[in-house]
Amino acid sequence: MTDQVAVVEHDALSESQSAALRELFDREYRAEYGEWSPDRPYGYSPADVHTIVFRGSITVAHVGFQRRLIRVGAREVAVAGTGGVLVHPDWRSDGVGRLVMTHAQQAMRDDDRVSFGYLGCREEVVSFYERTGWSRVNALERHVSMNDSNATVTSSAGPILVFAAGSGTDADPWPEGDIDLRGTPW
């Protein structure tokens, strides 16, 4: 069966694409976190862009990203805050994760509003991201609490990874300094 990949702006998601994403995410997370909402997925920031892999009529993988200016040290950095990375359990370790991530990274490269992909993750999945071109950075991260929009969370505990989406030899390296996401994480 041939994989089909769609890269879709959030506002252009069809009803059937949104329903397919809800089915993918609810299969994995509904029991613990409740029903998936495309506009506030489990308290995280919503995606501006969805990269979706379909195998026949089944949605088998997703990567989303949101464009945002964050502060790193003294600089503003345009990122594609990446989240909603999920592969259907029946197709894990089948190359689908690499496929969906490769297409999401290309969408970041093609977007002149993005200099870096940015994500936080669990330690046990860092190696997947590193194999697909992401690099770990060590920094203190601040973001708006997912539970209380008036509270700020500061942490240095979780892995932070970046992907240089800027093209050419003129692409700037990731800057040094503490990170302020200026919103909730992805």
Side-chain angles (χ1 to χ4, degrees), residues 1 3 17 19 22 24 26-27 31 39 50 52 66 70 75 80-81 85 89 113-114 134 162 170 180 182-183 186:
M1 193 174 300
D3 293 327
Q17 288 169 328
R22 182 172 291 106
L24 176 69
D26 282 352
R27 176 184 293 110
D39 298 317
H50 300 271
I52 311 165
Q66 181 190 70
I70 66 172
R75 290 189 43 205
V85 180
R113 297 166 286 183
V114 172
W134 294 78
V162 297
D170 295 334
D180 184 350
R182 295 179 169 169
W186 304 276

Side-chain angles (χ1 to χ4, degrees), residues 111-148:
D111 192 325
D112 61 4
R113 297 166 286 183
V114 172
S115 298
F116 291 91
Y118 183 98
L119 62 83
C121 64
R122 299 178 325 274
E123 190 66 49
E124 55 269 20
V125 295
V126 168
S127 64
F128 164 76
Y129 291 112
E130 289 177 335
R131 285 191 310 270
T132 58
W134 294 78
S135 300
R136 191 175 195 146
V137 296
N138 294 307
L140 185 70
E141 180 189 85
R142 282 186 300 282
H143 61 82
V144 173
S145 168
M146 294 166 41
N147 301 317
D148 178 358

